[in-house]
Amino acid sequence: MKKLPKKYAGVLFSFYASAVMVLIVSAVLVALNTGIDAGYPLRLLKSYLITWPVAFASLLGVRPLVVKWGGGFGGGLRQPENMNKAVTTLIASECRLLSASQKRRFS
């Protein structure tokens, strides 16, 4: 199997990190705001489709700044696999902001 060139590692990391985090946060927020019933999967899908592109684009935009400024934080933030904590915090904050608009939309 061919390896992905290193120049795409940041994009791939942003893709997977945002996809997983938005799915988890959306699942919890939709369940808390609207409950789990027969319409839950559709509401989750709608929420995910709204928030994932925002999280992915935000992460692509913020990642270079985190990598640039992160050198002073133990020197380990330059590697995508060591950025999980910073990215998780960013995405969770972003999803909390979006949850207010989702609550209005799905109420």
Side-chain angles (χ1 to χ4, degrees):
M1 179 192 275
K2 289 176 120 178
K3 280 191 163 187
L4 188 70
K6 285 187 178 184
K7 67 180 180 177
Y8 298 117
V11 174
L12 188 62
F13 172 78
S14 299
F15 177 83
Y16 285 123
S18 63
V20 171
M21 287 304 302
V22 169
L23 180 61
I24 293 168
V25 173
S26 292
V28 170
L29 290 176
V30 170
L32 290 174
N33 290 331
T34 62
I36 298 176
D37 56 13
Y40 174 76
L42 183 59
R43 290 191 307 270
L44 176 59
L45 179 63
K46 285 180 182 179
S47 171
Y48 184 81
L49 292 176
I50 291 167
T51 56
W52 179 77
V54 174
F56 180 59
S58 298
L59 191 53
L60 284 177
V62 170
R63 186 183 176 281
L65 295 174
V66 172
V67 170
K68 180 179 177 182
W69 295 338
F73 299 112
L77 285 179
R78 294 190 184 273
Q79 299 298 320
E81 61 272 6
N82 293 332
M83 291 180 57
N84 288 337
K85 186 173 182 179
V87 170
T88 301
T89 303
L90 171 70
I91 293 173
S93 299
E94 189 173 298
C95 289
R96 268 195 304 272
L97 293 173
L98 291 172
S99 71
S101 65
Q102 290 173 358
K103 191 173 184 179
R104 284 191 301 258
R105 177 173 283 162
F106 294 118
S107 298

